[in-house]
Amino acid sequence: SVSPGSPLLLSLPLSRFLPCSSHGSPTLLSPQAAMTKLAQWLCGLALLGSAWAALALAPPGLQPPAPLRQALLPLPVYLLVAFGCYSLATVGYRLATFNDCEEAAAELQEHIRAARADLRRRGLRL
């Protein structure tokens, strides 16, 4: 175990840590801990996939009824299409509600004007 004041912990750059807010209090997570959400999703997908495989590809003695089996076989394709539609809708919504940065645009235009004036002063024609 590494104590909070150890040289190992102090030698790590803070840029390697991601800020995270949990219950209103900011904490620092290492990049390895940031992968826990991915691991959760992968475990969930593995669980659902194994349940689907057990039901859809059951041994002959444990076959579900035919209508259930016919609904189970294409289920991963339907879920993939639904996920794609949800992803497209989310990206479209986020793009439609993207905030314009009026102040930043005005500041950037001012920097461009200043740079052009500086280049003209130095003899460069634009």
Side-chain angles (χ1 to χ4, degrees), residues 50-80:
S50 61
W52 173 82
L55 289 173
L57 308 172
L62 301 172
Q63 294 259 344
L68 179 62
R69 187 175 161 95
Q70 288 174 353
L72 279 175
L73 287 176
L75 188 62
V77 175
Y78 294 151
L79 291 176
L80 187 64

Side-chain angles (χ1 to χ4, degrees), residues 55-116:
L55 289 173
L57 308 172
L62 301 172
Q63 294 259 344
L68 179 62
R69 187 175 161 95
Q70 288 174 353
L72 279 175
L73 287 176
L75 188 62
V77 175
Y78 294 151
L79 291 176
L80 187 64
V81 169
F83 177 72
C85 291
Y86 172 76
S87 298
L88 282 175
T90 301
V91 168
Y93 174 76
R94 303 284 180 175
L95 189 61
T97 59
F98 187 75
N99 293 333
D100 290 335
C101 300
E102 307 278 336
E103 301 85 22
E107 182 182 351
L108 183 60
Q109 289 295 327
E110 183 58 37
H111 284 290
I112 291 171
R113 280 189 215 99
R116 284 185 177 166

